Amino acid sequence: MSEFSRSKEKGKIKNQIYWMVILAIGLFLIGIALIIVMRKPKTDNILLTTTPNEVNFPAPEITLIDLNSKSVSLNNYPKAIILVNNWATWCPPCKAEMPTLQQYFQKHYKQGFVIIAIESGESINEVTKFVQEYSITFPVWIDLKGLALEKFNNWDLPSSYVIDRSGIVRLSWTGPINMQMLEKYVTPLLEQ
């Protein structure tokens, strides 16, 4: 092989290595860009929420069991403002809104406000563990057959309904609730 041929061959190899390095750097930069774009932003205690729908229908009759296996009903809370929250222990948005619901309950229960958290499908033992882990102090009911979801005709979780003191459902949410929405829409009902 002549010197010219060897030099030409070395040039081809250098050229191929050069383009492979350029390609590798390009792919690396594309990967970094995808990671940045795909990464979820930190929300630091900000829970994305939906705005409630204003509704007007009588609260359905719901009788279930609580964590002590006692029969409970919405009728047990006459003249209270009730927020019924259909949720599940395995549901990420449900878990995310629980601290907010607990905080709002603590702030307003003396005004005749109660949250009834109706867990859809898990056993009393599973739900009790969840309640202890999240330090929930409002009533939690067990709904193994999805009765509350059926009565409200909404199988999405979480879903919430605010019942006024006369037993009329006034607000409905599908999706998580944040403190701003609770204060804006539920607090005025407490002040009536």
Side-chain angles (χ1 to χ4, degrees):
M1 191 182 266
S2 72
E3 189 66 37
F4 177 74
S5 295
R6 276 187 236 156
S7 177
K8 191 175 176 182
E9 192 64 35
K10 284 182 183 178
K12 275 185 175 179
I13 292 172
K14 283 182 180 179
N15 195 22
Q16 288 175 342
I17 291 172
Y18 172 79
W19 286 111
M20 286 174 55
V21 168
I22 295 295
L23 180 63
I25 291 171
L27 289 173
F28 177 76
L29 292 174
I30 290 170
I32 295 295
L34 284 173
I35 289 170
I36 291 169
V37 169
M38 301 295 276
R39 213 172 99 198
K40 285 187 174 182
K42 267 188 161 180
T43 54
D44 293 334
N45 297 327
I46 297 172
L47 180 63
L48 301 177
T49 189
T50 56
T51 302
N53 292 314
E54 291 187 21
V55 294
N56 186 354
F57 60 90
E61 290 186 28
I62 298 174
T63 302
L64 296 167
I65 59 169
D66 65 13
L67 295 179
N68 297 314
S69 297
K70 289 184 180 178
S71 180
V72 286
S73 169
L74 291 177
N75 296 332
N76 294 7
Y77 299 92
K79 304 296 180 197
I81 299 287
I82 303 169
L83 186 147
V84 173
N85 178 253
N86 291 314
W87 65 287
T89 60
W90 50 262
C91 164
C94 301
K95 291 178 182 182
E97 75 178 354
M98 280 299 165
T100 300
L101 293 175
Q102 177 61 39
Q103 184 181 359
Y104 188 82
F105 172 72
Q106 284 298 118
K107 184 176 178 182
H108 294 284
Y109 77 94
K110 290 182 181 176
Q111 293 174 273
F113 174 72
V114 67
I115 294 174
I116 307 293
I118 301 177
E119 205 288 336
S120 299
E122 296 293 328
S123 70
I124 289 177
N125 290 338
E126 287 296 314
V127 178
T128 299
K129 286 179 199 172
F130 183 95
V131 166
Q132 291 169 348
E133 180 182 339
Y134 282 78
S135 302
I136 295 171
T137 60
F138 47 79
V140 176
W141 298 358
I142 304 297
D143 187 4
L144 295 174
K145 296 181 180 176
L147 178 67
L149 298 170
E150 184 179 315
K151 293 276 187 168
F152 282 106
N153 196 29
N154 184 352
W155 293 86
D156 294 324
L157 297 175
S159 58
S160 299
Y161 304 88
V162 178
I163 303 168
D164 70 13
R165 295 183 199 282
S166 63
I168 302 297
V169 180
R170 301 274 302 275
L171 300 169
S172 74
W173 268 276
T174 298
I177 302 173
N178 69 20
M179 187 62 73
Q180 180 184 5
M181 291 294 121
L182 288 167
E183 292 292 357
K184 182 175 181 179
Y185 292 98
V186 179
T187 302
L189 293 174
L190 293 169
E191 295 168 352
Q192 290 179 356

